[in-house]
Amino acid sequence: MELYDQAKNLIFNRQSSSNNSSGTSLNNISKCLDITIVQLKPILNRLYKESYITVRKGINGELIFLKNYKQKQS
C-alpha cells in the first residue's frame, strides 16, 4: 500500500474512532507513517486538492479532518 493510501486510512480511522470529534496532527501522521513532515506535505497537498481533507486550527496546532465525514455502515 502506498503512502497516499496509508495516510488516507490513518486520517479516516482516527476520525472514526473519535466519532468525528478529533482531527489528526501532522506530527501524528508523520510518526505513524515513519516519514518526515517534508515528505508528508505533498501527500497532504494532494488530499487537499482532491477535497478529501480540510485543515482546522486546534489548541496545539493545525489538525487534519476529513472534509466530508461519513461513518462506514456495517
Side-chain angles (χ1 to χ4, degrees):
M1 182 182 284
E2 74 177 77
L3 288 173
Y4 172 80
D5 294 323
Q6 289 177 356
K8 225 172 153 174
N9 288 336
L10 183 69
I11 295 166
F12 179 82
N13 291 336
R14 167 76 177 188
Q15 204 155 336
S16 293
S17 67
S18 71
N19 200 22
N20 199 29
S21 63
S22 296
T24 309
S25 69
L26 290 174
N27 289 334
N28 186 25
I29 298 171
S30 173
K31 186 177 177 182
C32 289
L33 297 179
D34 196 29
I35 60 175
T36 66
I37 291 177
V38 172
Q39 294 171 308
L40 180 61
K41 281 189 176 185
I43 296 167
L44 295 177
N45 284 337
R46 181 176 165 194
L47 289 170
Y48 185 80
K49 286 178 184 175
E50 293 173 355
S51 296
Y52 188 76
I53 61 170
T54 187
V55 180
R56 299 182 196 164
K57 291 199 181 227
I59 295 171
N60 295 320
E62 296 178 341
L63 298 172
I64 309 296
F65 283 86
L66 297 176
K67 197 161 198 170
N68 295 315
Y69 173 74
K70 292 182 182 174
Q71 197 170 22
K72 285 185 179 177
Q73 306 250 337
S74 298

